[in-house]
Amino acid sequence: METSRALKLVPLPDLSIHSQKLSDIRAWKHGIEFHLSYYNLDYYLEENENEDEGVGFMTKRLWPIIDHEDRRRRLLAYSIIWSSAKDVIPFVERSLNKRLCDDVKLDPKKLWQLILEYYKIRFPLEDI
């Protein structure tokens, strides 16, 4: 599949441990939001009043009953976030004392929230 012009114009920067500036994290966050929106996957990051009914919520109980297309889309959203942040994952795990593979259970929203939580710890006085 050819990369669309829109995705080329708003590239998805990789986060790295060298992303010391808040502008790097904001650029990454913007890129993730744009790419997920482009693929119509941004609802996986939305806050829902009732998490049990929200599309961004996944538990062991729900995973087997979601349809194939939703599962594929959820995994695509997860992979976009993971692949762009893979270099900081070990630091996120150490800082939050969590093993992300075990804790997020392939849920893009949980992965997104934990990465942002890590950067909120690194930049406590800033709005990320």
Side-chain angles (χ1 to χ4, degrees):
M1 173 197 291
E2 182 181 333
T3 303
S4 82
R5 185 160 188 249
L7 294 178
K8 288 179 183 175
L9 292 172
V10 181
L12 182 56
D14 288 340
L15 274 182
S16 76
I17 195 56
H18 303 293
S19 299
Q20 297 296 329
K21 293 184 268 175
L22 190 59
S23 60
D24 295 341
I25 288 84
R26 288 183 176 150
W28 173 81
K29 185 178 174 189
H30 173 74
I32 290 289
E33 290 169 342
F34 180 85
H35 282 246
L36 293 182
S37 180
Y38 178 85
Y39 289 111
N40 198 24
L41 302 170
D42 50 334
Y43 57 88
Y44 286 115
L45 301 184
E46 292 175 359
E47 296 294 328
N48 300 296
E49 286 184 27
N50 186 349
E51 286 287 307
D52 289 333
E53 296 174 10
V55 291
F57 185 78
M58 182 182 355
T59 64
K60 290 180 183 177
R61 178 181 58 81
L62 291 176
W63 181 260
I65 62 171
I66 61 175
D67 67 24
H68 176 73
E69 182 61 21
D70 187 52
R71 185 179 197 155
R72 187 189 66 76
R73 294 175 61 73
R74 190 181 302 262
L75 290 172
L76 177 59
Y78 180 88
S79 68
I80 290 170
I81 298 167
W82 181 275
S83 67
S84 66
K86 64 185 173 293
D87 291 344
V88 298
I89 296 298
F91 300 97
V92 173
E93 290 177 325
R94 244 177 301 182
S95 175
L96 302 177
N97 198 26
K98 295 183 180 194
R99 183 151 159 71
L100 294 188
C101 291
D102 297 336
D103 195 60
V104 301
K105 305 285 188 226
L106 301 175
D107 184 338
K109 182 177 177 182
K110 285 183 180 180
L111 178 61
W112 172 255
Q113 290 172 332
L114 288 175
I115 292 169
L116 292 181
E117 182 181 338
Y118 168 71
Y119 279 102
K120 285 177 184 175
I121 291 169
R122 287 187 64 194
F123 299 100
L125 301 177
E126 300 293 335
D127 183 31
I128 295 180

